[in-house]
Amino acid sequence: MSLVEIQERIAKAEAEAGRAPGSTELIAVSKVQPNERVQAVLEQGHRVFGENKVQEAAGKWPAFRETFAGTSVHLLGPLQTNKARQAVGLFEVIHSLDRPKLANTLARLAQELGACPDLFVQVNTGEEPQKAGILPKEADGFVKDCRDLDLPIKGLMCIPPVDEEPSLHFALLAKIAERNGLKGLSMGMSGDFEKAVSFGATHVRVGSAIFGARDYG
Ligand SMILES: *Cc1c(COP(=O)(O)O)cnc(C)c1O
């Protein structure tokens, strides 16, 4: 599929859901993809990208940013506290705020640097033991604690369990966001982004449908 096709499918899903055109941000997830593929999407004018790892992003985005102004890069993967300082310098948005220790570290950095990326709290909607994220029943308290730390919390993020109907998870995330007065909803990937748009996603994270399969070999 192409970037344009994905954009068209998002526009159609927005229209079908009665949402404003352009109310969903498309994050092109460029992790593991060869630079030529990423560059091709940049040359088509797209400027919003997602990465999973600090190290990988550090190796690729400073150079791309010099050529392509206005690029914003979102961190989607887990962030170790010892890489938080580097991450704050590399990303416009972090979608993986998933524990109190990271919140405290980011708050300290924000104080010291006078700036902080926009943040999404990752919620483990499927309560999967191996998956990162705040449990749904702890989300309200965690959002409050983050606000008390003056962190710029813009919304919530989830990655539904692979073998479950994602709609239930999208609906749960939307409900938690609403009762906490949060507008941002980062949800939906290559296989389910249209469904996510219908549940109110403000950010969809689409990788392989744009760039092709990732080659981890
Ligand atoms: C890799 C990844 C994506 C993109 O997945 P695709 O299935 O390639 O669209 C989205 N979100 C997160 C958190 C990811 O790690």
Side-chain angles (χ1 to χ4, degrees):
M1 234 168 289
S2 67
L3 174 70
V4 172
E5 281 173 277
I6 301 295
Q7 288 166 332
E8 285 169 358
R9 285 172 57 183
I10 291 171
K12 186 158 173 278
E14 284 174 341
E16 282 170 4
R19 295 183 46 187
S23 52
T24 314
E25 180 113 77
L26 170 59
I27 302 171
V29 183
S30 48
K31 67 182 185 203
V32 189
Q33 299 288 353
N35 281 348
E36 311 84 73
R37 289 190 195 168
V38 181
Q39 177 145 346
V41 170
L42 281 159
E43 281 167 356
Q44 290 173 72
H46 196 74
R47 289 292 179 272
V48 184
F49 291 83
E51 290 286 342
N52 259 34
K53 294 190 172 149
V54 173
Q55 229 46 49
E56 187 185 341
K60 116 169 70 154
W61 284 101
F64 277 143
R65 282 184 197 274
E66 286 193 14
T67 316
F68 300 97
T71 297
S72 85
V73 185
H74 296 226
L75 179 66
L76 310 176
L79 177 57
Q80 295 168 254
T81 46
N82 64 4
K83 297 211 174 115
R85 180 181 294 273
Q86 194 184 3
V88 164
L90 273 171
F91 300 103
E92 276 77 9
V93 187
I94 295 173
H95 292 240
S96 48
L97 173 49
D98 60 1
R99 59 199 193 280
K101 187 178 175 204
L102 181 58
N104 286 321
T105 302
L106 289 170
R108 253 188 288 115
L109 288 168
Q111 279 240 318
E112 178 192 323
L113 306 169
C116 185
D118 285 344
L119 300 172
F120 284 74
V121 170
Q122 181 172 352
V123 181
N124 186 356
T125 55
E127 306 192 23
E128 296 172 279
Q130 82 285 8
K131 201 168 269 178
I134 302 291
L135 292 172
K137 66 175 180 297
E138 289 165 5
D140 297 2
F142 184 70
V143 168
K144 182 184 180 304
D145 291 345
C146 289
R147 284 174 162 154
D148 289 345
L149 289 167
D150 278 334
L151 288 172
I153 306 294
K154 302 296 177 180
L156 305 178
M157 177 272 222
C158 75
I159 308 171
V162 282
D163 51 359
E164 281 184 32
E165 169 54 45
S167 300
L168 304 170
H169 298 273
F170 297 157
L172 174 59
L173 198 71
K175 192 174 100 183
I176 299 171
E178 162 133 58
R179 72 174 181 240
N180 283 283
L182 289 167
K183 295 218 158 37
L185 285 171
S186 168
M187 56 192 198
M189 315 195 342
S190 288
D192 55 19
F193 65 91
E194 287 147 309
K195 204 170 267 178
V197 169
S198 78
F199 280 89
T202 58
H203 295 70
V204 291
R205 314 177 305 261
V206 182
S208 44
I210 295 174
F211 294 103
R214 285 178 289 276
D215 181 0
Y216 287 96

